[in-house]
Amino acid sequence: MNHLLIVDDEAEIRESLEEILKEEGYAVTSTATAAEGLELLRDAVFDVLLLDIWLPDRDGLDVLNEIHGLELEARPEVIIISGHGTIETAVRATKLGAFDFLEKPLSLERTLILVKNAIEAKQLRRDNQEMQRQLASHAPVTGESVSVKALRQQIKLMAPTNGRVLIYGESGSGKELIARAIHAESLRSSRVFVELNCAAIPEDYIESELFGYRHGALPGGTPEKRGTFERADGGTLFLDEVGDMSLKTQAKVLRALDEQLFTPVGATRAVRVDVRVIAATNKDLEEEIARGNFREDLFYRLNVIPFFVPPLRERREDIPLLAREFLREFGREYGRPRVELGDDALQVLKQYHWPGNVRELKNVIERVLILNPTVTRIERRHLPMLVYRGSARRGEEFSTLQQAREAYERDYILKKVDECHGNVSRAAEALGLERSHLYRKMKTLGISVRE
């Protein structure tokens, strides 16, 4: 339901407008003074403001100008009302950001048309802002592994439907990226993509984040807020880490999915929406159902189209593509677009286990770029020690303890030699070995010696 505010000092106009607009299905609040109107705008979210130009305590155009300086969650579209309208006044109002201009006596038909158009304009502006944010963070599903190619094919096939999607994958594997890709190729791609991380919101607040609340519903005089379901109307709602949602909240989400209907906290009327839900989890939801932590009926509502995102360690051939993509991204961000990745560094990256998946790889690339501000080519010596230790500890790839030990020693020695810029004597000193001992060790491990 759209919320309108009327600010007019003539009681008859306020009452007649309020009655007519309520009959059209709008929620309406009215007041006679500019001061009360501005206070209401600070406390609640309104879609349209019908503002009289002649008010007992302020000039309407001054109020219009002040509204643009307020820190509001969402500014309303303003329709100016005047009993002494002139072309000059209308032009001034438009320059100050008014949506349109109404003259008294008001035409019922024109008033309803302008209100409808103002609401549509506000929705378009909101959607455009959301899409601009999404475009800024959008990235393609990168990779040439069999699993990623299969994911792209599944997205192409399933995205144009309205079926709900449940994405499975470890933390950091790219579940949000898949959700955005599904939205981008869906029938709702021109509308908003709204995301909510269920694990990041405290239990006491997640209901209000999902469904919003009306003025006075929460302690402290908190202003009105639209929830993620309402903001995603017409578009896609991405519920990340849905397995962390409480049973109480799950019950309310279930009703919202079934009926596309919910009641904001503190509201008396339900809100109807048209939302496609994409959910994601790093948990085994069937196991959570068995433990009594997740509703079975909600699982079946969400699990219409399952997607499985493989961990990075199972698609190592994608690591060079992803690493170079992140390097280009951060190179542009930090003003260093010509930095390259050396083959030896890529080899170490491919050997690492990546428990944090794609997110960890992205963080490592950014860290290396920040900590080496003058290099134009990232070599293995620039990589953090964690990557070296991890690449030598992938015990599942070694058939014997001896092989694992040799792999660790080889990487550790190479790291020290790189840190000493190829000087074996200095590397031996850093390792606490005799120079001749280090030479023999390097020869045994198959490391070429170049002073």
Side-chain angles (χ1 to χ4, degrees), residues 392-393 395 397-409:
R393 288 182 177 177
E397 296 192 5
F398 304 113
S399 57
T400 67
L401 180 62
Q402 179 65 25
Q403 288 179 356
R405 184 185 295 115
E406 288 178 357
Y408 178 84
E409 287 184 349

Side-chain angles (χ1 to χ4, degrees), residues 170-174 310-313 353-362:
E170 295 179 6
S171 294
S173 58
L312 188 56
R313 61 183 174 276
H353 191 60
W354 296 112
N357 290 294
V358 178
R359 185 185 297 128
E360 185 184 7
L361 173 61
K362 186 174 184 178

Side-chain angles (χ1 to χ4, degrees), residues 51-120:
L51 177 64
D52 189 14
I53 205 166
W54 299 108
L55 294 169
D57 54 338
R58 292 281 296 278
D59 181 273
L61 294 184
D62 290 340
V63 175
L64 175 60
N65 192 40
E66 186 173 337
I67 288 171
H68 287 280
L70 296 177
E71 292 186 6
L72 304 176
E73 181 189 335
R75 282 199 302 271
E77 295 292 342
V78 181
I79 298 173
I80 292 292
I81 301 173
S82 175
H84 310 280
T86 65
I87 293 176
E88 182 185 352
T89 304
V91 169
R92 280 186 63 202
T94 303
K95 286 183 176 180
L96 289 172
F99 178 77
D100 214 320
F101 192 86
L102 278 172
E103 289 185 74
K104 295 178 182 178
L106 301 179
S107 161
L108 173 60
E109 183 179 358
R110 177 166 165 74
T111 300
L112 292 177
I113 289 173
L114 279 186
V115 168
K116 179 176 179 292
N117 290 344
I119 289 170
E120 289 177 353

Side-chain angles (χ1 to χ4, degrees), residues 128-365:
N128 183 58
Q129 290 171 348
E130 185 67 31
M131 288 181 70
Q132 291 298 322
R133 286 194 293 270
Q134 292 168 20
L135 287 171
S137 61
H138 177 70
V141 180
T142 301
E144 292 302 319
S145 61
V146 173
S147 55
V148 170
K149 287 180 179 178
L151 268 176
R152 283 200 292 261
Q153 185 63 30
Q154 189 180 6
I155 290 168
K156 186 175 181 181
L157 183 65
M158 300 298 183
T161 73
N162 273 320
R164 297 187 196 107
V165 174
L166 183 55
I167 305 172
Y168 299 87
E170 295 179 6
S171 294
S173 58
K175 299 187 291 295
E176 181 188 340
L177 186 65
I178 298 300
R180 288 184 178 276
I182 293 170
H183 173 74
E185 296 193 33
S186 74
L187 302 174
R188 300 167 181 261
S189 59
S190 61
R191 301 304 297 271
V192 293
F193 176 93
V194 179
E195 60 180 301
L196 177 71
N197 188 325
C198 301
I201 308 295
E203 168 59 24
D204 293 341
Y205 295 98
I206 192 165
E207 185 181 344
S208 58
E209 285 293 328
L210 283 166
F211 306 117
Y213 47 80
R214 297 302 180 242
H215 177 56
L218 297 182
T222 310
E224 180 176 316
K225 181 176 180 178
R226 297 163 67 243
T228 50
F229 264 96
E230 194 170 354
R231 285 165 44 213
D233 187 22
T236 301
L237 173 59
F238 175 51
L239 298 176
D240 197 9
E241 306 304 352
V242 72
D244 291 288
M245 192 182 289
S246 72
L247 289 169
K248 177 184 174 184
T249 307
Q250 288 174 37
K252 298 192 175 183
V253 170
L254 180 65
R255 182 191 175 220
L257 291 178
D258 281 343
E259 303 175 12
Q260 295 279 285
L261 194 72
F262 62 90
T263 303
V265 178
T268 56
R269 294 187 183 183
V271 175
R272 185 170 295 280
V273 292
D274 173 23
V275 175
R276 183 187 191 180
V277 172
I278 298 176
T281 181
N282 61 4
K283 295 184 175 181
D284 183 337
L285 290 188
E286 292 184 343
E287 187 176 315
E288 293 298 307
I289 291 170
R291 292 175 178 173
N293 297 330
F294 201 83
R295 292 181 62 114
E296 189 173 13
D297 46 5
L298 179 57
F299 171 73
Y300 289 122
R301 299 297 195 289
L302 295 172
N303 197 41
V304 178
I305 305 172
F307 275 71
F308 297 89
V309 184
L312 188 56
R313 61 183 174 276
E314 293 180 8
R315 50 186 182 106
R316 295 186 186 279
E317 58 267 49
D318 294 335
I319 291 174
L321 293 172
L322 289 164
R324 289 190 173 107
E325 180 182 294
F326 295 145
L327 188 60
R328 284 193 297 271
E329 177 185 333
F330 290 120
R332 289 192 298 268
E333 183 176 338
Y334 295 114
R336 298 169 61 195
R338 292 187 175 85
V339 181
E340 298 178 348
L341 267 173
D343 292 339
D344 57 347
L346 282 174
Q347 189 60 35
V348 174
L349 294 176
K350 287 178 69 176
Q351 291 174 351
Y352 181 49
H353 191 60
W354 296 112
N357 290 294
V358 178
R359 185 185 297 128
E360 185 184 7
L361 173 61
K362 186 174 184 178
N363 291 344
V364 164
I365 296 298

Side-chain angles (χ1 to χ4, degrees), residues 410-422:
R410 186 177 189 278
D411 278 330
Y412 189 75
I413 290 171
L414 280 169
K415 173 74 172 174
K416 288 299 179 183
V417 171
D418 282 341
E419 287 175 355
C420 297
H421 305 285

